[in-house]
Amino acid sequence: MQARITAHPPVHAAIVRSLRAGEGLRIGRGDGCDLKIDHPSISRAHAELVPMAQGWRLCDLGSKNGSFLDGRPVHDDVLPPTVWLRFGDVYCEFRMLDAAEAAAADDGARAQRVAATAHTARLDAVSGLDELLDASLRGALELAQCERGFVLLARDDGFEVRASLAMDAASLRRREFSGSVGAVRRALAERRTVVANDIGREAWLSSRASVVAAGLSALVCLPLHDGERALGAIYADRVRPGSPITMLDQELLEAFAERAALWLVARRATELLDAHAAADLDARRWDGIVAAHAGDER
C-alpha cells in the first residue's frame, strides 16, 4: 500500500508527496524535512509519519503549534486510510492508495507535462499578438484546470484586458476584468505566482466584493515580466471544486508563462519595427508625391 499527503499552505500551490510502503516522512519548516512547509506556524521539525506493517502513525515532534487529526490534537496515533491533518495553520490531506490509484496519479503527472510541452509548442507556431495571447490563455486554463481567465497587458495608466475566455457576454464587450484585482496586484508587486486553492480560507481574498460576487473557489495569477518591467499577467479562476493547483502545476505554468513573456516581447518588438518601417515607407511615398507635385508646378 502506498500513500499520498497533500499540504495546502496559504497563498501557495499545494505540495504533494508520495510514500511507498515502509517509507517514513518528516514534516517541518527545516531544510532537512522530507515535506518542507515554509509557513511561520510550522516548527522546523514538526511531525513525522512513521511506517507500520499496515499503514502509518502520526507522531508530533514537540511542535509549538501542535498536530491535529480531523480537528483533534494528537501526539502519537494511527492514521486511518483517508484523513485531514493539520500542522499549525496548514491543512494536509492524507490518503492511502492502492496500486491502481498510485499508477493513475503518476499517469496524471505525465499527462500534465505532455500538455505543457504541447502548449509551448503551439506558441512557436503563432504569428500575431492576439493569437499569442489567446494561445497563452488557453494553455494556462487547461494546465490550471480553471474555467475562465484573462490576459492583462500593461499600459500607461494601468492594465487592460487583451484576451479573455469564458466571460459573460456583457463583460466581453466592455473588456472588463472581473477576477480578483487583489491577486493580480500581489502577483505583480511580489513578482511571484499567487495561488489560492481554497479562497474561503484566505482572509485577504474571501471578503473582497469581486470574489464574493463571482463565488470563486480557486485562482492562480502568473506575472509576466521583461527584466524589471511588468508586461502584465495571466489570471485564471474557477467556481466549481476541483483538484488543487500543485507545485508541479505551478512549475509547468511558470515555465509556460516565461515562454509566453519572451514571445510577447519578441512579437511586440517585431510589430513595433514593422510599424516604424511602414511609417517610414509612407513618409518616403509622401515625399515622392510632394516632390512630383513640385515638379509639375515648375
Side-chain angles (χ1 to χ4, degrees):
M1 183 69 70
Q2 301 183 48
R4 180 179 64 220
I5 184 168
T6 306
H8 296 269
V11 204
H12 289 279
I15 308 169
V16 180
R17 292 290 181 270
S18 299
L19 291 89
R20 297 183 298 273
E23 182 181 9
L25 186 84
R26 177 161 287 208
I27 301 161
R29 192 162 40 87
D31 291 335
C33 292
D34 305 303
L35 174 54
K36 183 180 178 182
I37 306 175
D38 190 10
H39 191 269
S41 69
I42 302 291
S43 298
R44 293 184 61 81
H46 198 107
E48 190 168 9
L49 300 185
V50 180
M52 303 168 55
Q54 298 295 326
W56 283 264
R57 300 180 68 88
L58 171 61
C59 298
D60 186 83
L61 300 177
S63 64
K64 179 180 178 181
N65 295 308
S67 300
F68 300 82
L69 192 158
D70 274 345
R72 63 179 177 84
V74 296
H75 297 285
D76 187 346
D77 209 341
V78 177
L79 292 179
T82 301
V83 67
W84 276 95
L85 308 174
R86 179 164 62 84
F87 306 107
D89 296 330
V90 178
Y91 287 85
C92 300
E93 182 185 14
F94 174 84
R95 184 180 179 189
M96 295 185 194
L97 306 174
D98 59 28
E101 290 171 324
D106 291 340
D107 290 343
R110 282 192 290 270
Q112 281 286 80
R113 293 186 185 279
V114 170
T117 301
H119 282 296
T120 301
R122 290 189 191 105
L123 294 185
D124 294 341
V126 302
S127 56
L129 179 59
D130 289 339
E131 186 182 0
L132 169 71
L133 298 179
D134 183 73
S136 300
L137 184 54
R138 290 182 185 277
L141 283 178
E142 181 177 333
L143 293 174
Q145 301 177 62
C146 285
E147 298 164 334
R148 68 168 188 170
F150 307 86
V151 177
L152 306 175
L153 293 187
R155 62 183 185 187
D156 292 339
D157 57 344
F159 292 86
E160 64 178 343
V161 175
R162 286 296 303 270
S164 57
L165 287 172
M167 292 173 59
D168 62 272
S171 295
L172 185 60
R173 286 193 299 270
R174 294 193 300 267
R175 286 285 188 179
E176 289 183 349
F177 177 67
S178 55
S180 170
V181 175
V184 175
R185 286 175 175 167
R186 177 172 287 199
L188 293 172
E190 299 180 2
R191 299 175 59 86
R192 68 171 183 85
T193 301
V194 169
V195 176
N197 277 310
D198 187 352
I199 287 177
R201 287 180 177 163
E202 304 288 354
W204 67 280
L205 279 172
S206 60
S207 61
R208 290 182 177 267
S210 59
V211 173
V212 173
L216 302 181
S217 66
L219 64 81
V220 59
C221 187
L222 301 142
L224 301 175
H225 286 279
D226 176 25
E228 296 298 318
R229 181 167 62 103
L231 301 174
I234 300 176
Y235 171 96
D237 62 27
R238 66 181 181 227
V239 173
R240 60 173 173 75
S243 301
I245 299 168
T246 67
M247 287 297 296
L248 172 60
D249 298 329
Q250 180 175 325
E251 289 170 7
L252 295 174
L253 283 165
E254 287 176 344
F256 181 73
E258 182 179 357
R259 188 65 174 270
L262 290 173
W263 278 103
L264 179 60
V265 171
R267 297 298 188 212
R268 277 187 156 181
T270 300
E271 291 183 0
L272 186 61
L273 288 173
D274 290 344
H276 282 313
D280 183 60
L281 179 61
D282 288 342
R284 284 189 277 111
R285 285 173 176 170
W286 177 251
D287 289 344
I289 292 171
V290 170
H293 182 67
D296 292 341
E297 289 183 345
R298 289 195 298 269

